[in-house]
Amino acid sequence: MKFNFAKLSAVKAGAIVVFAVQGPGLTKSAQQLDKTCKGALSRALKASRFHGDIAEIIEVLAPQGLRCSRVLVVGLGSAGKAGHADFERIGGQIVAKLQSSGETVVSVIMDAIGTLAITVSEAAMRLALGGRLRSYRFDKYRTKEKAAKKPSLTRFVVLTSDYKQADQLFNNQDPVIDGVFMTRDLVSEPANVLYPKNFADRIMALKDVGIEVEILGEREMRRLGFGALIGVSQGSAQEPQLAIMQWNGHAQKATPKPADKRNKTSTSASAPPVLLVGKGVTFDSGGISIKPAGGMEDMKWDMGGAGAVTGAMYALAIRRARANVVGVVALVENMPSGTAQRPGDVVRSLSGQTIEVINTDAEGRLILCDAMWYAQERFKPKVMIDLATLTGAIIISLGHEYAGMFSNNDDLCKQLSSSGFASGDKLWRMPMGDSYDGLINSPIADMKNVGPREGGSITAAQFLQRFVKPGVAWAHLDIAGMAWSSKDTALWEKGATGYGVRLLDTFIRDHHEEK
Ligand code: BES
Ligand code: MN
Ligand code: ZN
């Protein structure tokens, strides 16, 4: 689907979208349209109990007097209140409604709508962004979809006075959606297609956009001492991989301007990177502590953290972000077999700390602790963020609205929370503390890999914190409730959401990028 912006003009074909505020009151261009079709719109609003609530839609087919095939009237809520997230939602709803309707072009008329919480061009950009997010489908394995169910919509045009600025704003955000789509592709793939080696191959391809990529295989990790990660992987026929992606955006040349006298020193080129670490369990059967059969198929998306880190690195690279960022993803499959690790086994992590594996299904923390340690030793970051579908308990706590955030640093939390709000990938901070930490002490090793059932997400975070080096500002994002959706929403069809990509991109833009 193509998204563009154009100047306000009469629309002669396809679907038209106009707006109404609560009341309901049609906007100026909606009123004009209503006149042209002899009051068909206002009559339809009355007949349908339309209030103009945010994203409420009524559809008028083939209105007399108009050459277009249908008009959608969309609610904007109370005048002056609709913000960036609302316009994304509305854009998404429009696509959801029209994508397979037989319509090929939709023109959204975004004229000056009295007061808005944001500028008209920003609103126009958000409409297109939301529309594009909602247009994603993962249909490579559907061979028998009926023609009438297939997407028909190919163009989404926003007509607005300052269309040049809207276009500029859109182009600034559009690469991030490519990153979101990469993540959705990775997360959607079944585990027979996307296993550690193949995931690493896909990451290798990011060399093409200027990311430095290295892959460590089992032999190297064994030699280096990744005992906790290898313990998880040893029951699987698939070889584990550690993928390291480096984006040195500070070293990127700015578009040369003759008058630019800024003195670029090498200090920023070698600035310590922001480190992103992702859990990439391509399938989590639970291992010997095997999961129940019902719903186990969901565990193909237990690599959502690694998927988000990969998509975010891609987005940063294609928009040539002026920041140094390193992404490290630990890729393993957790399987039961004669070679699998047993409950009670003690493993030695890369950090030297020993771990009693009480439950082989608490595997995410075991691979993350080695990946985090390796990356901190090697890259000396000041900031480290890990993303993981780590615990079912976080879904009990927060449902599917917020990911859980655990951190040793208040400032980092504030930054991430606001990036979460701005990007739509929302975060809610959870508590940590010594008394929780004590719950994972082991009688035989330095720690055990699970605590009691209560507070399961918190003890998981405490476990990870034991692998954070002094002086590193760290946040752990438990995204188990967010990586996948069993329902259609405004911005995605049910399935992989791409959660985390927009969050990380916004965070880097706002706090780590040279302006
Ligand atoms: N990948 C799961 C967490 C998960 C569960 C994500 C459900 C999404 C939906 C993780 O590896 C896991 O199995 N965690 C266990 C931990 C327990 C054994 C302490 C859990 O949450 O039950
Ligand atoms: Mn598990
Ligand atoms: Zn898992």
Side-chain angles (χ1 to χ4, degrees), residues 279 281 284-286 291 299 302 334 359-364 390:
K279 169 180 172 182
V281 177
D284 180 13
S285 68
K291 289 180 180 295
M299 286 299 118
D302 206 20
N334 186 23
N359 187 321
T360 65
D361 196 12
E363 83 297 340
L390 204 64

Side-chain angles (χ1 to χ4, degrees), residues 175-460:
V176 186
I177 309 300
D178 292 338
V180 172
F181 287 3
M182 172 176 286
T183 301
R184 288 183 184 177
D185 284 344
L186 289 166
V187 172
S188 302
E189 285 290 5
N192 62 326
V193 176
L194 198 79
Y195 43 90
K197 192 81 183 38
N198 171 284
F199 196 148
D201 289 346
R202 293 201 190 192
I203 290 175
M204 222 11 141
L206 298 185
K207 279 184 165 175
D208 292 349
V209 294
I211 297 175
E212 274 174 49
V213 183
E214 273 166 74
I215 311 287
L216 305 187
E218 174 161 5
R219 213 152 39 108
E220 264 160 315
M221 286 194 271
R222 195 177 289 284
R223 188 176 58 78
L224 290 164
F226 282 62
L229 184 148
I230 283 173
V232 173
S233 166
Q234 76 191 30
S236 168
Q238 303 294 342
E239 191 194 345
Q241 309 270 286
L242 189 85
I244 302 144
M245 298 166 260
Q246 293 186 62
W247 172 250
N248 293 315
H250 278 312
Q252 292 287 314
K253 295 237 168 14
T255 336
K257 289 188 202 120
D260 193 353
K261 294 236 173 67
R262 270 180 308 172
N263 185 15
K264 286 255 143 279
T265 62
S266 60
T267 45
S268 66
S270 59
V274 174
L275 174 61
L276 309 175
V277 183
K279 169 180 172 182
V281 177
T282 58
F283 188 73
D284 180 13
S285 68
I288 295 298
S289 314
I290 198 162
K291 289 180 180 295
M296 201 201 274
E297 69 279 8
D298 280 353
M299 286 299 118
K300 72 170 186 181
W301 50 258
D302 206 20
M303 35 56 72
V309 169
T310 306
M313 294 303 294
Y314 178 65
L316 292 169
I318 59 177
R319 73 171 183 79
R320 315 219 76 70
R322 295 174 63 78
N324 291 349
V325 184
V326 174
V328 174
V329 298
L331 306 169
V332 306
E333 187 181 58
N334 186 23
M335 296 292 263
S337 76
T339 61
Q341 77 179 340
R342 293 141 292 246
D345 282 4
V346 174
V347 294
R348 186 179 302 273
S349 70
L350 182 63
S351 73
Q353 300 178 87
T354 56
I355 304 161
E356 182 187 11
V357 179
I358 300 294
N359 187 321
T360 65
D361 196 12
E363 83 297 340
R365 61 202 78 179
L366 295 170
I367 69 171
L368 284 171
C369 71
D370 280 351
M372 283 164 50
W373 193 263
Y374 174 80
Q376 288 173 96
E377 292 244 285
R378 178 162 166 196
F379 297 106
K380 312 273 184 292
K382 290 211 165 78
V383 176
M384 169 167 69
I385 303 170
D386 75 81
L387 288 89
T389 50
L390 204 64
T391 66
I394 201 69
I395 311 179
I396 305 299
S397 307
L398 299 175
H400 304 284
E401 277 298 308
Y402 291 85
M405 170 167 61
F406 302 82
S407 177
N408 61 5
N409 187 292
D410 294 346
D411 292 331
L412 178 60
C413 278
K414 285 197 190 110
Q415 294 175 350
L416 280 167
S417 286
S418 76
S419 301
F421 173 75
S423 66
D425 290 346
K426 292 181 291 178
L427 291 168
W428 194 264
R429 188 174 186 180
M430 301 281 289
M432 298 190 71
D434 290 345
S435 46
Y436 292 114
D437 189 69
L439 298 174
I440 53 170
N441 289 331
S442 156
I444 175 173
D446 297 334
M447 69 197 86
K448 52 188 182 181
N449 76 330
V450 295
R453 223 168 90 79
E454 304 90 334
S457 307
I458 306 175
T459 44

Side-chain angles (χ1 to χ4, degrees), residues 50-112:
F50 180 90
H51 293 295
D53 298 345
I54 286 187
E56 192 183 354
I57 298 188
I58 69 143
E59 186 176 24
V60 183
L61 282 165
Q64 219 182 20
L66 289 180
R67 280 157 70 187
C68 68
S69 47
R70 73 184 86 198
V71 177
L72 305 187
V73 182
V74 181
L76 284 182
S78 69
K81 288 275 169 61
H84 66 277
D86 299 312
F87 282 100
E88 287 185 3
R89 226 173 86 204
I90 291 169
Q93 302 273 46
I94 294 170
V95 167
K97 186 116 191 141
L98 297 177
Q99 174 140 272
S100 305
S101 63
E103 210 72 76
T104 56
V105 183
V106 57
S107 306
V108 184
I109 303 183
M110 185 77 226
D111 52 358

